[in-house]
Amino acid sequence: MSDSVSDCTERRSAVTEAEVEALVRGICFKTGPPRHLGVEVEWLVHELRLPQLPVPPQRLEAAYAALRALPLRSALTVEPGGQLELSSAPAASLMECIGSVSADLDAVRATLREAGLGLSGYGHDPWNPPSRFLHEPRYDAMERCLDRAGPEGRAMMCSSASVQVCLDAGYEEPGPLGHGRRWWLAHQLGAVLVAAFAHSPLAHGRHTGWRSTRQSLWAAMDPGRSSAPPLGGEPRAAWARRVLDAPVMCVRAPDGPWGVPEGMTFREWTRSDAPPDRADLDYHLTTLFPPVRPRGHLELRMIDAQPGDDGWIVPLAVTAALFDDAEAAETAYRTVKPLAERADSQPAPCNPLWQDAARNGLADPELREAAVTLFATAAEALPRLGATTEVLDAVAEFTDRYVTRGRCPADDLLGQLHGQPLGQSHGRSHGRSHGQFHGKDIRT
C-alpha cells in the first residue's frame, strides 16, 4: 500500500481530462521485453514471547528506527497498522531478486530479534482488531474515506499483509509475452493465485468463512477503488477510463487535515473550477488498489502473505515462471481460459470466480485442477529462468503439501483451530517455524 509520493507539493498548472488520459496511457504501461522482476513482501510484526499480543507503539517506533539504520538493498516502509514492507529493487533475474530480499530479511529479523520482536506471514491478523500506528494526513484521509463504505477499509489498512509480485508489462506486439495477453492473464490467473496461496481464514481468533479474508476485504471495501477495469478492450484505454472515473480519495493541503470529497471522480475534478495538477494525478494513482495495478510494470496484489521465513519465495517463483517463460505463459493462458467463463464478465475481485477462490481456496475442484497444471508448468519452466535446486524443492514441497491435495496454507490454520496437527514445513524454511501459533488455543 505504501507509495513513494510526497504528501503535499506546490501546485503546478492544471491538467485537463484529455491530458490525464494521455499521461495515464504513457506512464502506466511501458512495453518491451520482460527483463526485470520485483517483489514487495509485507509482514505483521509480533512479540516473540507471545505473538497474539499487539506490540505497543513505542516498541514499534524504536524497532523501526533501528531498521532504518540498516544498509538494505530493498526499500523499507511501514504500513498504517505498523506492518513492515520490504520492496525489492528491480532485479535482472529471479535468483537476484530472491537473493537480495532474503539477505535484507535476515538483517531485519536479526535486528527485530534483539528487540524481542518477530515477523508473521499472515494475510490478515488472526488475533487483533485494526489499530492504526501511523497518524499522517494521508492515512487520516484514507480512513475517513474508506469508513464511508464500511469497516473493511480500516481492516485492510491496519490488519492485512501480502506478497506482491512486480512484472514488466511485456511486448507491444501480441503473443504470450505481449502486454495485452499479460494484462488479461494476470486477472484470470490471479484467481488461482488467490486460491493456492490463501492464508487468512481468521479474525479475532475465529474462522471468518473465507480462506482469504484479506481478499474478501479488498472486494468489499470500495469497488470503485479496488476493482479492475473491464477486460474486453485495450488495456491502456481501459485503465485510463478507470483512473478518470475512480473516486477521489483526498485533496491534499499544506496545513491541517486533507479534504475528503464525497462522490467526486477524478474526471469531475478536472472539469471543476479548481482542477487538479500533475502531482494530484500522480497521487490519485497511488490511491487506487485494483488486484493488478499498472505502474509502468504490472503489480500483482492478490497474494496473501505466506507462512514461514521464506514462504514468499514460492508465489514469486511460480508467478515469474508463468509470466516470463514464453512456453509456460502459453500453457497458463490455455489453462485459465475456461475459468474466465465463471467471472461472468464482471471485473475482479468482485466476480464469482474470485469470490469462490477467496472463500474456498483449492477446495474448489476447477481451481484445484487448474492449479495442478499451473504449478507443474511452473516447475518445468523454473530451470529455464535459472532457479536453484533450493527454489525448485520449495515449489515441489508446496505443490505436494497443498496443491495436489486441494489445500492451501489457510487450511493449516483452520486445522489447528480445530485441534488438528500441522504438517511439515516446506521450502527454505527447513528448521524454521512454518506457522506462528503456539499451542492450540488461538482465541484472543
Side-chain angles (χ1 to χ4, degrees):
M1 184 195 309
S2 297
D3 294 279
S4 55
V5 177
S6 61
D7 281 348
C8 190
T9 57
E10 293 183 6
R11 179 159 294 279
R12 301 193 294 265
S13 59
V15 289
T16 66
E17 185 176 335
E19 287 171 334
V20 169
E21 184 169 359
L23 285 167
V24 171
R25 284 171 170 265
I27 64 179
C28 290
F29 288 89
K30 298 185 185 300
T31 53
R35 291 196 179 108
H36 295 98
L37 177 69
V39 68
E40 301 174 17
V41 286
E42 296 173 341
W43 306 86
L44 304 177
V45 180
H46 64 81
E47 297 277 5
L48 282 177
R49 62 186 179 88
L50 190 60
Q52 293 92 328
L53 292 178
V55 182
Q58 298 84 352
R59 280 168 52 72
L60 279 181
E61 289 171 1
Y64 290 157
L67 291 179
R68 291 188 181 98
L70 295 175
L72 303 176
R73 285 171 284 184
S74 306
L76 185 147
T77 52
V78 179
E79 297 294 321
Q83 310 98 306
L84 187 69
E85 178 180 287
L86 286 180
S87 303
S88 73
S93 71
L94 172 64
M95 294 314 304
E96 178 185 323
C97 185
I98 291 173
S100 65
V101 176
S102 295
D104 286 345
L105 279 169
D106 286 344
V108 165
R109 284 197 175 90
T111 299
L112 289 177
R113 197 176 302 116
E114 293 177 359
L117 302 177
L119 300 177
S120 294
Y122 298 109
H124 183 272
D125 189 325
W127 306 294
N128 300 301
S131 178
R132 193 142 61 89
F133 170 71
L134 294 180
H135 295 274
E136 300 172 358
R138 171 182 171 89
Y139 298 123
D140 292 344
M142 183 182 293
E143 186 174 273
R144 288 170 57 200
C145 176
L146 297 180
D147 276 352
R148 290 170 178 164
E152 294 87 1
R154 193 174 293 207
M156 175 276 293
M157 289 173 62
C158 301
S159 299
S160 68
S162 67
V163 177
Q164 299 177 17
V165 180
C166 299
L167 305 156
D168 281 331
Y171 287 101
E172 190 68 30
E173 299 80 12
L177 300 183
H179 79 284
R181 172 74 69 82
R182 286 162 76 86
W183 176 248
W184 184 91
L185 180 61
H187 289 87
Q188 306 301 345
L189 176 61
V192 183
L193 297 176
V194 168
F197 296 110
H199 188 227
S200 53
L202 305 176
H204 310 292
R206 299 178 180 87
H207 185 204
T208 64
W210 300 84
R211 258 53 171 215
S212 179
T213 299
R214 174 184 170 274
Q215 189 59 53
S216 76
L217 296 173
W218 287 100
M221 70 174 189
D222 184 353
R225 192 174 308 284
S226 62
S227 64
L231 294 181
E234 196 277 325
R236 290 187 180 92
W239 181 243
R241 286 194 297 271
R242 170 45 52 91
V243 169
L244 280 163
D245 292 332
V248 174
M249 175 176 283
C250 56
V251 177
R252 296 170 297 156
D255 299 301
W258 295 359
V260 182
E262 188 164 5
M264 180 178 73
T265 67
F266 201 83
R267 190 189 302 275
E268 291 168 338
W269 194 7
T270 66
R271 298 173 179 177
S272 70
D273 293 334
D277 63 13
R278 171 62 189 273
D280 292 318
L281 171 61
D282 291 343
Y283 203 85
H284 176 63
L285 291 171
T286 74
T287 68
L288 306 181
F289 310 124
V292 183
R293 186 163 67 172
R295 304 184 66 186
H297 58 273
L298 301 182
E299 183 182 77
L300 277 63
R301 304 168 56 85
M302 72 287 295
I303 301 169
D304 280 358
Q306 293 296 288
D309 288 355
D310 307 307
W312 59 275
I313 292 174
V314 176
L316 170 63
V318 169
T319 305
L322 295 175
F323 276 86
D324 287 352
D325 181 87
E327 183 179 338
E330 185 63 32
T331 300
Y333 173 76
R334 294 196 304 268
T335 301
V336 302
K337 194 172 183 180
L339 293 175
E341 297 179 5
R342 287 177 58 181
D344 197 26
S345 301
Q346 299 179 42
C350 299
N351 63 48
L353 175 64
W354 279 64
Q355 293 282 293
D356 289 343
R359 185 178 297 280
N360 302 318
L362 294 186
D364 181 292
E366 288 184 299
L367 288 168
R368 175 186 181 180
E369 182 180 359
V372 168
T373 300
L374 292 167
F375 274 70
T377 300
E380 292 177 2
L382 279 168
R384 297 193 290 268
L385 297 185
T388 62
T389 300
E390 195 173 29
V391 172
L392 296 175
D393 288 346
V395 172
E397 291 182 34
F398 187 97
T399 303
D400 291 342
R401 175 174 176 150
Y402 297 116
V403 179
T404 59
R405 302 181 187 184
R407 302 176 69 251
C408 59
D411 292 310
D412 282 352
L413 300 184
L414 292 175
Q416 191 168 11
L417 181 67
H418 297 101
Q420 299 169 8
L422 294 178
Q424 297 294 317
S425 288
H426 68 274
R428 183 170 165 255
S429 299
H430 287 181
R432 305 187 187 189
S433 174
H434 178 75
Q436 287 90 15
F437 286 136
H438 294 263
K440 295 177 181 177
D441 185 359
I442 59 175
R443 294 169 294 176
T444 52

